[in-house]
């Protein structure tokens, strides 16, 4: 069975600095997707970034980028120039290539951006 | 694009009553929607997968007679909590799977509704 592990329950970073959130996963599938979702205090889940496993190039979305290491089954999220609005709980998620569309979520990392 | 609405955002009900929560994909069709439950400061727990035109698939341990799911159209799924009890109080979130093949929108991505806070007295 697939599992997703986020080993950092809580993190903090100073505004304008860079922070990296870690995520590891376990799967025997070769084709899959990985996601980072953000859940601010409003509790609305927001897609931050997505990576297809067949792509070697790391995905980037403005200040957000990932370090995808397929062999190591690692998928970390880097937030550059952290802003107060980045304060949220961040979830790493795995989605298989099968047609069920289910996502397997990690436990989440609460990120606090300090002024 | 890829907006999902959820209604109501908050509901308080008496023990023993039933509550219906609606989940709509506003700008895309979703053959598959998902229902999650989330406790404070915890991850999302998948309850069931809702497929348009067919019966929902429930995760192990989720009572299908308690949590009725109907996916009557490509844009609407409903979750009905029947005979609600205080232990059913929680935050319920739906998501819709966007499987469009579009150069602009990522394929096969789940987009989430804003959630419904259910309080059973």
């Amino acid at each position: 069975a697939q599992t997703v592990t986020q080993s950092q329950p809580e993190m903090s970073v100073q505004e304008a600095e860079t922070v990296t959130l870690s995520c590891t996963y376990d799967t025997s599938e070769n084709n899959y997707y990985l996601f980072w979702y953000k859940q601010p205090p409003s509790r609305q889940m927001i897609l931050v970034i997505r990576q297809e496993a067949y792509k070697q190039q790391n995905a980037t979305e403005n200040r957000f980028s990932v370090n995808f290491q397929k062999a190591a089954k690692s998928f970390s999220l880097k937030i550059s120039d952290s802003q107060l609005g980045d304060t949220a709980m961040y979830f790493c998620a795995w989605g298989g290539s099968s047609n069920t569309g289910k996502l397997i979520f990690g436990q989440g990392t609460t990120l606090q951006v300090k002024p | 694009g890829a907006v999902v609405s959820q209604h109501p955002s908050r509901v308080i009900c008496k023990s023993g009553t039933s509550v219906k929560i609606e989940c709509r994909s506003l700008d895309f069709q979703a053959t598959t929607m998902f229902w999650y439950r989330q406790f404070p400061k915890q991850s999302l727990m998948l309850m069931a997968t809702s497929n348009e035109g067919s019966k929902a698939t429930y995760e192990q341990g989720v009572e299908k007679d308690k949590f009725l799911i109907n996916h009557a159209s490509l844009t609407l799924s409903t979750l009905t909590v029947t005979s609600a009890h205080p232990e059913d109080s929680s935050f319920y979130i739906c998501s819709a799977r966007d499987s469009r093949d579009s150069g602009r929108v990522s394929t096969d991505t789940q987009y989430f509704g804003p959630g419904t806070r259910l309080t059973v007295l």
Side-chain angles (χ1 to χ4, degrees):
Chain A
Q2 288 78 18
T3 59
V4 177
T5 302
Q6 293 178 250
S7 58
Q8 305 151 313
E10 295 181 355
M11 294 189 72
S12 65
V13 63
Q14 290 296 130
E15 195 175 6
E17 294 191 346
T18 296
V19 64
T20 299
L21 280 57
S22 66
C23 172
T24 58
Y25 59 94
D26 190 22
T27 182
S28 58
E29 295 190 24
N30 193 46
N31 296 317
Y32 50 88
Y33 309 96
L34 293 163
F35 305 85
W36 278 98
Y37 285 91
K38 166 185 176 181
Q39 189 179 40
S42 68
R43 301 191 80 172
Q44 166 76 62
M45 291 283 285
I46 301 166
L47 177 66
V48 175
I49 200 164
R50 158 194 158 113
Q51 175 84 41
E52 289 93 339
Y54 67 86
K55 290 186 177 179
Q56 292 188 339
Q57 187 172 9
N58 289 323
T60 63
E61 285 288 342
N62 301 312
R63 297 183 294 108
F64 299 88
S65 61
V66 298
N67 183 2
F68 173 48
Q69 301 289 331
K70 190 173 184 179
K73 296 180 182 176
S74 170
F75 183 61
S76 61
L77 174 70
K78 186 171 82 170
I79 306 174
S80 303
D81 186 25
S82 296
Q83 300 176 359
L84 296 178
D86 295 333
T87 292
M89 197 160 186
Y90 287 80
F91 292 99
C92 177
W94 178 97
S97 60
S98 68
N99 231 18
T100 65
K102 286 185 189 180
L103 290 179
I104 308 297
F105 284 91
Q107 305 92 322
T109 296
T110 299
L111 175 67
Q112 178 77 39
V113 179
K114 298 180 178 180
Chain B
V3 178
V4 177
S5 70
Q6 199 171 329
H7 179 80
S9 58
R10 189 171 298 207
V11 58
I12 301 172
C13 68
K14 292 182 179 179
S15 186
T17 61
S18 295
V19 174
K20 180 185 282 188
I21 303 170
E22 292 187 349
C23 178
R24 293 180 186 271
S25 56
L26 297 185
D27 52 358
F28 66 100
Q29 293 181 334
T31 54
T32 306
M33 292 184 174
F34 301 88
W35 287 94
Y36 297 86
R37 185 172 180 175
Q38 187 183 33
F39 293 103
K41 298 190 185 296
Q42 293 189 22
S43 189
L44 279 69
M45 182 187 77
L46 179 65
M47 298 175 65
T49 302
S50 172
N51 296 298
E52 188 267 338
S54 64
K55 290 184 178 180
T57 304
Y58 291 82
E59 295 299 302
Q60 193 172 8
V62 178
E63 300 176 60
K64 59 181 68 177
D65 293 331
K66 174 113 181 124
F67 299 99
L68 300 180
I69 290 171
N70 184 274
H71 195 151
S73 77
L74 288 172
T75 59
L76 173 65
S77 175
T78 60
L79 168 68
T80 301
V81 183
T82 62
S83 186
H85 291 286
E87 57 265 30
D88 298 324
S89 297
S90 191
F91 191 68
Y92 293 88
I93 309 176
C94 72
S95 71
R97 183 184 176 198
D98 183 353
S99 300
R100 291 173 295 176
D101 182 16
S102 165
R104 177 183 62 85
V105 178
S106 296
T107 58
D108 213 21
T109 296
Q110 285 188 33
Y111 294 92
F112 288 81
T116 297
R117 180 177 298 284
L118 171 64
T119 303
V120 184
L121 302 177

